Amino acid sequence: MSRRAPPHPVALIAAPTNLGLRPGPAGKLAGTTRAPAALEHAGLSRALGAAWAPGLAAMEYSRDAQGGSRIRNADSLRTFTLKLASIVENSLKAGQFPLVVGGDCSNLLGCLLGLRRHGGRGLIHIDGHSDFFHPGNYDDACSLRSAAGMDLALATGRGEPVLTEWPGINGPLVADADACQIGERESEDTDYPFSELDHLTIGRILIRRFHQLGPTAAAHQVQDWAERRGITRAWIHLDIDVIDQALMPAVDSPGSPGMTFEELATLLGILLATGRIAGMDLAIYDPDMDPSGHDAESIVHCLSDAFRGKP
């Protein structure tokens, strides 16, 4: 039996940013700003039967600290976040399912802010990393840090106020107990910096546990969590580096073990079919690392399977 697709029309929203990423070798900036165009070239809107809504333009990257913050591009990120939040909120008001096509993981903040303003809550964070850096686990007096490595921490209210305090929202964008992280691959490393997660109420399905369960059982476990929490309109954050690097090398921080595209499509398809997902963002695909466009085509095929409820 085919899975039921989301009941609302999908609206594609371009959020082309690299503000949350560090410069690469020789100071080269990440090409994630070009991801929406590359994925559309690979047939994204046609595959999903979706239309592009008005999106955002990329903002200029600054290599210097902004406003005294120790987070790269902090002031620009706040501006970008507020603009993205308004677009997401308006899409939800219009009865659409916003699919925000990034860009880097800092886009999560604008997505959650738009969701909260529209009355939703809850986060399913699908990522090969926990993205939980904050001043409690690193020395903020050292080099500038990158928001794409701390998006879950910022979303749960940990970090500098410039990216944790938002107009009209009391407290964090998402409570610990209303967040579930799926896909972390580095928790068994001896230098893993986020051991505090073991003592928090953030839900977790580490990648090895995901493989033990399988994507269907893992999805049902997340569904059970959402039901217990009374979450009816959650957001999915998808960092495509959750896919194993053997299959998806065109990302900022590739790694193994990871999911296959088939596993990810199954997981997403079941979650989308619950009717509990209000929107989703896709992050970290870098077309500069995918000159043939093969990885873009794989992403589009995966999303098509998930949204169209492939059996």
Side-chain angles (χ1 to χ4, degrees):
M1 179 182 295
S2 295
R3 297 188 297 263
R4 179 172 54 87
H8 303 292
V10 175
L12 298 170
I13 298 170
T17 185
N18 58 8
L19 298 175
L21 293 168
R22 66 192 184 284
K28 183 181 184 301
L29 299 181
T32 50
T33 54
R34 290 175 281 282
L39 291 168
E40 176 57 19
H41 181 74
L44 181 60
S45 63
R46 181 176 65 255
L48 299 186
W52 287 91
L56 292 168
M59 294 184 66
E60 183 177 358
Y61 191 101
S62 174
R63 298 175 187 271
D64 301 318
Q66 292 184 342
S69 173
R70 301 308 299 165
I71 300 175
R72 290 182 175 90
N73 298 292
D75 291 345
S76 298
L77 277 168
R78 185 173 181 87
T79 298
F80 197 88
T81 293
L82 290 168
K83 290 180 178 179
L84 179 56
S86 294
I87 294 173
V88 168
E89 182 184 13
N90 289 336
S91 178
L92 293 169
K93 285 180 178 178
Q96 299 169 338
F97 183 101
L99 174 55
V100 175
V101 185
D104 69 62
C105 289
S106 64
N107 282 340
L108 172 61
L109 302 178
C111 297
L112 282 178
L113 180 55
L115 176 73
R116 285 290 307 279
R117 287 176 172 174
H118 192 61
R121 78 178 222 276
L123 168 64
I124 300 169
H125 186 274
I126 304 174
D127 195 319
H129 310 85
S130 293
D131 291 352
F132 209 68
F133 279 112
H134 61 84
N137 57 39
Y138 71 80
D139 183 1
D140 61 355
C142 294
S143 61
L144 293 177
R145 292 285 177 163
S146 302
M150 56 180 66
D151 54 274
L152 182 56
L154 293 167
T156 55
R158 296 168 172 88
E160 295 183 21
V162 65
L163 294 179
T164 59
E165 297 180 2
W166 303 100
I169 303 296
N170 293 322
L173 291 173
V174 63
D176 284 2
D178 288 344
C180 182
Q181 205 289 321
I182 307 170
E184 164 68 60
R185 65 170 60 100
E186 297 177 338
S187 62
E188 296 179 8
D189 294 353
T190 55
D191 59 349
Y192 181 65
F194 307 138
S195 58
E196 66 197 277
L197 285 166
D198 293 338
H199 310 290
L200 301 176
T201 56
I202 295 173
R204 300 173 79 198
I205 302 178
L206 304 176
I207 191 61
R208 289 170 179 81
R209 178 59 176 160
F210 177 86
H211 284 143
Q212 291 171 353
L213 290 168
T216 299
H220 290 314
Q221 186 168 308
V222 176
Q223 183 178 357
D224 291 344
W225 159 80
E227 290 176 353
R228 289 194 305 272
R229 292 296 303 162
I231 294 172
T232 59
R233 291 180 58 73
W235 191 269
I236 290 179
H237 167 70
L238 172 58
D239 182 337
I240 202 65
D241 76 10
V242 76
I243 298 294
D244 193 283
Q245 64 182 355
L247 302 171
M248 187 65 218
V251 294
D252 177 66
S253 298
S256 295
M259 298 182 191
T260 66
F261 281 106
E262 291 78 11
E263 288 172 331
L264 177 59
T266 298
L267 173 68
L268 289 175
I270 293 172
L271 294 177
L272 292 170
T274 65
R276 293 177 180 271
I277 308 302
M280 185 170 96
D281 71 283
L282 168 69
I284 296 299
Y285 166 64
D286 187 339
D288 288 359
M289 303 171 71
D290 180 31
S292 71
H294 174 269
D295 294 343
E297 292 175 357
S298 296
I299 294 170
V300 169
H301 183 74
C302 176
L303 292 177
S304 177
D305 284 352
F307 276 85
R308 292 185 178 276
K310 181 179 177 180

